Amino acid sequence: MAAAKKRLLNISIYTVLILGILIIIVPMVIVLINAFKSNMEIAESYFSLPTGFYTKNFEQLFEKNDIFYSFRNSVVITVVSLLVTTILLPITAYGACRHMVHNRWFRYLYYFLIIGLFVPFQAKMIPLIIIASRLNLMNVAGIIVVYIASSTCEGVFLCGGYLQSIPPDMEEAAYIDGSGYFGTYWRIIFPLMKPIVVTVAIQNALWIWNDFMLPLLMLNKSSKFWTLILYVYNFKTAYQTDYGAIFASFLLSMLPIMVFYIIMQRKIVGGLISGAVKG
């Protein structure tokens, strides 16, 4: 009886996992095969394989420089935001969490950041856009500032929770050996925080690269500020019947972040193993 229940449970689990995989994979496959099909082939069937290697959809995209500018904007926004948050969030969490027991101001700072997790974007959207507009931040530089600020609360919370698993004795030993505060953080604490730092980086990269609402609100006033997601949105609006080019633009917007995720996923597994050995 117990074996039958366990077998039924395993079947249920694998069924759910397979359905989840299909939900994720099928749209990606549809985009991939339709990006290399003519409009006539797409009209006949979305699910059929292309009869040949049709590249005119991509040629049409690359004929205009708008997609290069949009790709550059997406890369700049994502890379700069990730670099700043990767440096800022762990050290902010380290300073707040290690000193909040003895210093109330650090405790207030940590609680203030945690409260930010419970404020939905819809509640701060209008004030945020008004302030950004008055400060002339409705551009690429402005949205980078907004992304860094928006990722601070959750990033500090995650890094602070991970810091609880790192014993303070390691830092005390480093101080006894003559290491300074920042030297101890950079040489001992930060390497041990690699798994959570990579996790936060992956999460922020997926969010920033694929985000639509903030770019729509802050960057849509001029095509020179468009991100790749905004370009796809406006391209679809302007060329409603050119489905081949639309699918090609979808594919181009998906590929960079998929490659980044695959690379960083290996890093996070390696970081977890490294952290276990050091522990």
Side-chain angles (χ1 to χ4, degrees), residues 159-208:
C159 291
Y162 189 86
L163 273 168
Q164 304 300 321
S165 64
I166 301 177
D169 297 344
M170 303 179 67
E171 301 156 59
E172 295 174 2
Y175 294 146
I176 293 173
D177 291 338
S179 179
Y181 182 81
F182 287 101
T184 301
Y185 166 77
W186 184 251
R187 289 193 295 268
I188 297 176
I189 301 301
F190 187 76
L192 292 174
M193 294 180 65
K194 184 192 296 184
I196 192 63
V197 170
V198 174
T199 300
V200 173
I202 291 175
Q203 179 178 310
N204 287 335
L206 293 172
W207 164 49
I208 294 171

Side-chain angles (χ1 to χ4, degrees), residues 65-186:
N65 292 326
D66 293 347
I67 191 170
F68 294 105
Y69 296 141
S70 300
F71 181 80
R72 181 197 61 188
N73 290 337
S74 289
V75 170
V76 169
I77 291 170
T78 304
V79 170
V80 174
S81 300
L82 288 183
L83 286 176
V84 175
T85 53
T86 300
I87 296 172
L88 179 66
L89 299 184
I91 196 169
T92 302
Y94 177 69
C97 295
R98 283 296 194 249
H99 296 87
M100 61 186 298
V101 178
H102 310 289
N103 190 315
R104 61 176 180 173
W105 297 110
F106 283 100
R107 186 163 60 252
Y108 294 157
L109 171 63
Y110 183 76
Y111 291 152
F112 175 76
L113 293 174
I114 296 304
I115 291 173
L117 290 172
F118 301 97
V119 181
F121 176 75
Q122 291 79 2
K124 58 185 179 183
M125 178 175 64
I126 295 177
L128 177 66
I129 300 305
I130 292 175
I131 293 173
S133 179
R134 291 179 178 176
L135 296 177
N136 294 322
L137 293 177
M138 304 290 281
N139 48 43
V140 172
I143 201 170
I144 290 174
V145 173
V146 173
Y147 277 132
I148 293 171
S150 300
S151 62
T152 299
C153 296
E154 187 174 1
V156 170
F157 174 73
L158 293 174
C159 291
Y162 189 86
L163 273 168
Q164 304 300 321
S165 64
I166 301 177
D169 297 344
M170 303 179 67
E171 301 156 59
E172 295 174 2
Y175 294 146
I176 293 173
D177 291 338
S179 179
Y181 182 81
F182 287 101
T184 301
Y185 166 77
W186 184 251

